[in-house]
Amino acid sequence: MPATTMDQIVSLCKRRGFIFPSSEIYGGLQGLYDYGPLGVELKNNIMQDWWRANVYERDDMEGLDAAILMNRLVWKYSGHEDTFVDPLVDCRNCKSRWRADHVKGKCPNCGSTDLTEPRPFNMMFKTAVGPVADAESFAYLRPETAQGIFVNFANVLATTSRKLPFGIAQIGKGFRNEINPRNFLFRVREFDMMEIEYFVMPGTEDEWHQRWLDDRRAWWESIGVPRERITIYDVPKDELAHYSKRTYDLMYAYPDIGAQEIEGIASRSDYDLGSHSKDQGSLGIQARVNPNSHSTARLTYFDTATNRHLVPFVIEPSAGVGRCFLAVLSEAYDEQMVKAPPPEKLAAVADALAAFLKSVGKSEKISANARDAILDRGQTIAAGLPDALPQIETLLALPGADQIELGKKLRGQAQPLADEHFRTVLHLKPDLAPIKAAVFPLKRNHDGLVALAKDIRKGLQKSGRMRAIYDDTGAIGKLYRRQDEIGTPFCLTVDFQSLEDQTVTVRDRDTMAQERVAVQELEAYLEDRL
Ligand code: GAP
């Protein structure tokens, strides 16, 4: 079963080093996160998979990696200086600031109704290029990678001789000064984007829009996000971005926050190339664009069939890597009972949980919001025992829970039972898994076993096709659990038989089935299954 709460994912990411709050030792910076050792592997694997599917496996695509800082005029003519704004309101009582559409007449922080009128706030970060900060050096951090593609359209066309339709793909950082970053990686201020600008003949855009919708849905499924968990939102006209003729938002059913945008697929007409072109009046541009008095290029395509220059239309599939990362983890997440816990031990946990929740209800040490959150989650867990037993750890990690003395007793009862009878497992697609194989010696103080296990790891790693690790820091059962939790598809155990016949036990993460495989055949065996 996928994750049912965002806390399950947050807690796993923290405990296993997928994600760290940015600059944590100095108190952090809101809306910014760092990808830890496992996080960076998963993120890179997602981006590689996207690149492979959209660039290498197609014959109509080029890649690009444009600079993050660009001439300010890019953002003037793209429309972002005027329109990349959120309306915000201030609470006069607690001085907090909110997006106007997130406030229903009342401050979400203190409940006051003393709010300012909404006013526009441009979400682009500003900086200066060079030693003097003045109007000349003023620049923005890009809020999307797309504009780097549009302003390079003529360069790519001239150097590749592409014919329509063709696309340009790019993965890179985007920056948005979000008013209220929230929900972990879902809404942040710095994030990687995977964007395609696909250039088509005017008049064929609706057909290509549909084809891209189908292609992108197939990709999400291929990386482990089932079709039925993504709904399509045909964005109403009055909600469309300034450049869009029509947009389909793919909405993934995230835990806690429900169906939210994971990718937008916009039909951008000839707005972008038209906006960045000189001589606009002679190009037959169909979109309403602002006059451009700075561009030095006509961003057109010469159509040999009609012997004329035209401005291509654009279909743009655009997805955030962080939102993808969250969805992939949520889908892969599973808490499985491996054997039923004894009834008397379960009853003791249920009693400890009830006592803890009673104490939370009476406590004056924690805020009302934190208390409600703990009680809410705690009651759901109590009703869901024994299956929900592993979630007690997540409950005890909620803000304020550490203030309750009885939490220690609850952890003492629940944790050993969860460790022994449950496993958390990430059923990641093997090619997304941060680590592909983990090698263990049955005994860590036996030179022969250790040497062979280290040799095997080295050989697998050297193949350059997989990340393999060696671990001897616990009993085999515990090592299996540790790897299950981070989605390692295969665990290899070197035992005494290995020394005699040069075979090892290979254990499958999902089925937990084990089989013996010859050391010599390991690389081929794993590659087959990865
Ligand atoms: N070039 C088109 C564009 O930028 P967008 O809908 O604003 O469109 C594209 O953003 C994708 O980027 C979204 O579908 C979402 O996955 C991701 N995204 C947008 N804002 C984000 C934020 N503040 N934090 C994390 N991801 C975000």
Side-chain angles (χ1 to χ4, degrees):
M1 205 173 70
T4 49
T5 69
M6 192 72 91
D7 288 335
Q8 288 172 310
I9 302 300
V10 175
S11 158
L12 173 73
C13 283
K14 193 169 169 186
R15 165 165 106 240
R16 299 309 310 270
F18 280 89
I19 301 289
F20 306 126
S22 160
S23 33
E24 193 176 13
I25 62 167
Y26 290 110
L29 193 55
Q30 214 198 350
L32 293 153
Y33 291 94
D34 300 337
Y35 287 77
L38 296 173
V40 66
E41 297 290 343
L42 176 56
K43 182 170 92 144
N44 284 342
N45 292 342
I46 288 173
M47 297 191 298
Q48 273 164 22
D49 197 289
W50 183 92
W51 194 265
R52 181 188 51 69
N54 290 294
V55 182
Y56 297 163
E57 289 180 4
R58 299 181 64 109
D59 52 16
D60 56 356
M61 199 71 83
E62 300 289 345
L64 185 79
D65 185 8
I68 287 172
L69 297 174
M70 291 190 272
N71 191 309
R72 176 186 184 173
L73 294 172
V74 170
W75 306 107
K76 172 181 166 65
Y77 289 109
S78 70
H80 283 78
E81 272 196 340
D82 293 333
T83 55
F84 198 62
V85 290
D86 267 345
L88 66 79
V89 294
D90 287 306
C91 170
R92 292 195 184 92
N93 181 44
C94 71
K95 311 293 177 222
S96 60
R97 184 163 279 186
W98 303 94
R99 259 174 63 166
D101 56 335
H102 292 165
V103 172
K104 288 177 185 62
K106 219 160 69 161
C107 170
N109 186 40
C110 70
S112 166
T113 51
D114 190 6
L115 306 172
T116 61
E117 283 301 306
R119 60 201 160 82
F121 168 74
N122 194 301
M123 292 199 292
M124 287 193 287
F125 282 101
K126 301 168 184 72
T127 187
V129 178
V132 182
D134 60 13
E136 288 296 298
S137 63
F138 182 91
Y140 295 107
L141 299 193
R142 68 180 178 200
E144 61 171 16
T145 72
Q147 298 305 321
I149 298 180
F150 296 129
V151 298
N152 275 296
F153 174 76
N155 290 334
V156 175
L157 196 59
T159 51
T160 62
S161 315
R162 282 282 181 183
K163 300 272 171 272
L164 290 185
F166 76 94
I168 304 178
Q170 175 164 224
I171 299 180
K173 294 270 186 202
F175 303 82
R176 298 185 185 182
N177 199 358
E178 295 282 355
I179 300 165
N180 294 125
R182 64 189 184 288
N183 295 322
F184 196 38
L185 302 177
F186 181 80
R187 189 173 300 286
V188 289
R189 290 180 164 142
E190 173 183 332
F191 54 100
D192 293 274
M193 308 175 82
M194 306 181 284
E195 300 205 288
I196 293 165
E197 305 305 327
Y198 195 77
F199 302 98
V200 304
M201 278 288 181
T204 64
E205 66 275 12
D206 292 346
E207 177 200 333
W208 280 106
H209 201 190
Q210 184 60 44
R211 282 170 78 161
W212 272 107
L213 178 63
D214 298 343
D215 280 8
R216 297 301 304 142
R217 291 176 78 196
W219 182 76
W220 284 106
E221 189 151 46
S222 78
I223 63 160
V225 183
R227 209 162 264 261
E228 64 275 13
R229 303 269 293 156
I230 291 185
T231 48
I232 297 159
Y233 181 60
D234 192 350
V235 180
K237 283 234 158 359
D238 59 337
E239 287 177 25
L240 288 173
H242 62 277
Y243 49 74
S244 172
K245 185 179 161 221
R246 185 172 186 179
T247 295
Y248 297 125
D249 281 346
L250 304 191
M251 312 288 280
Y252 170 71
Y254 286 97
D256 289 343
I257 57 175
Q260 299 285 340
E261 178 184 337
I262 192 166
E263 170 162 9
I265 307 177
S267 184
R268 294 178 75 126
S269 71
D270 53 1
Y271 174 85
D272 305 278
L273 295 180
S275 294
H276 288 302
S277 277
K278 69 172 185 177
D279 302 338
Q280 289 165 323
S282 62
L283 303 181
I285 298 165
Q286 297 183 33
R288 187 137 44 88
V289 296
N290 287 327
N292 191 321
S293 53
H294 290 91
S295 172
T296 58
R298 278 180 214 96
L299 302 183
T300 54
Y301 172 85
F302 184 69
D303 179 24
T304 46
T306 57
N307 244 359
R308 66 183 177 102
H309 288 273
L310 56 87
V311 182
F313 271 40
V314 171
I315 304 297
E316 180 201 59
S318 168
V321 178
R323 289 190 189 180
C324 176
F325 187 98
L326 261 189
V328 163
L329 280 182
S330 303
E331 283 304 321
Y333 190 91
D334 194 9
E335 284 165 357
Q336 276 182 351
M337 195 195 296
V338 280
K339 59 179 173 174
E344 66 286 359
K345 288 195 179 165
L346 196 61
V349 170
D351 289 347
L353 177 58
F356 168 77
L357 294 178
K358 199 165 164 194
S359 174
V360 169
K362 287 196 292 199
S363 172
E364 283 170 8
K365 287 193 223 157
I366 51 181
S367 72
N369 279 351
R371 187 166 56 232
D372 289 350
I374 299 173
L375 289 177
D376 201 40
R377 179 65 48 77
Q379 275 142 14
T380 311
I381 294 173
L385 286 176
D387 291 330
L389 199 138
Q391 290 177 35
I392 290 177
E393 196 46 46
T394 315
L395 175 76
L396 293 171
L398 288 181
D402 58 346
Q403 303 291 317
I404 307 296
E405 200 50 36
L406 284 176
K408 290 193 190 109
K409 186 168 176 213
L410 174 59
R411 179 174 283 120
Q413 301 272 10
Q415 201 162 22
L417 211 58
D419 286 349
E420 194 183 339
H421 297 269
F422 289 81
R423 67 170 188 149
T424 300
V425 53
L426 284 185
H427 300 289
L428 291 171
K429 294 265 173 180
D431 62 335
L432 294 188
I435 292 163
K436 311 295 186 211
V439 191
F440 316 135
L442 187 65
K443 285 190 179 304
R444 71 169 156 207
N445 52 6
H446 188 286
D447 292 346
L449 296 180
V450 168
L452 181 56
K454 285 187 173 171
D455 249 23
I456 291 173
R457 189 214 62 98
K458 209 166 160 190
L460 293 176
Q461 182 85 31
K462 232 172 149 181
S463 72
R465 284 189 282 267
M466 67 186 83
R467 181 138 162 69
I469 59 141
Y470 167 89
D471 194 0
D472 65 9
T473 56
I476 297 294
K478 196 162 182 186
L479 297 181
Y480 283 158
R481 294 280 187 278
R482 229 185 255 170
Q483 296 302 320
D484 288 346
E485 201 179 41
I486 60 169
T488 306
F490 298 103
C491 289
L492 282 45
T493 303
V494 174
D495 55 19
F496 291 105
Q497 186 181 330
S498 311
L499 300 179
E500 285 162 21
D501 64 4
Q502 288 289 303
T503 63
V504 295
T505 309
V506 180
R507 174 205 184 250
D508 180 284
R509 173 198 68 197
D510 297 332
T511 61
M512 294 188 277
Q514 305 191 4
E515 62 178 320
R516 289 205 82 88
V517 178
V519 173
Q520 257 197 340
E521 284 158 25
L522 269 176
E523 206 176 307
Y525 174 96
L526 294 178
E527 269 180 22
D528 247 20
R529 287 156 180 78
L530 291 168

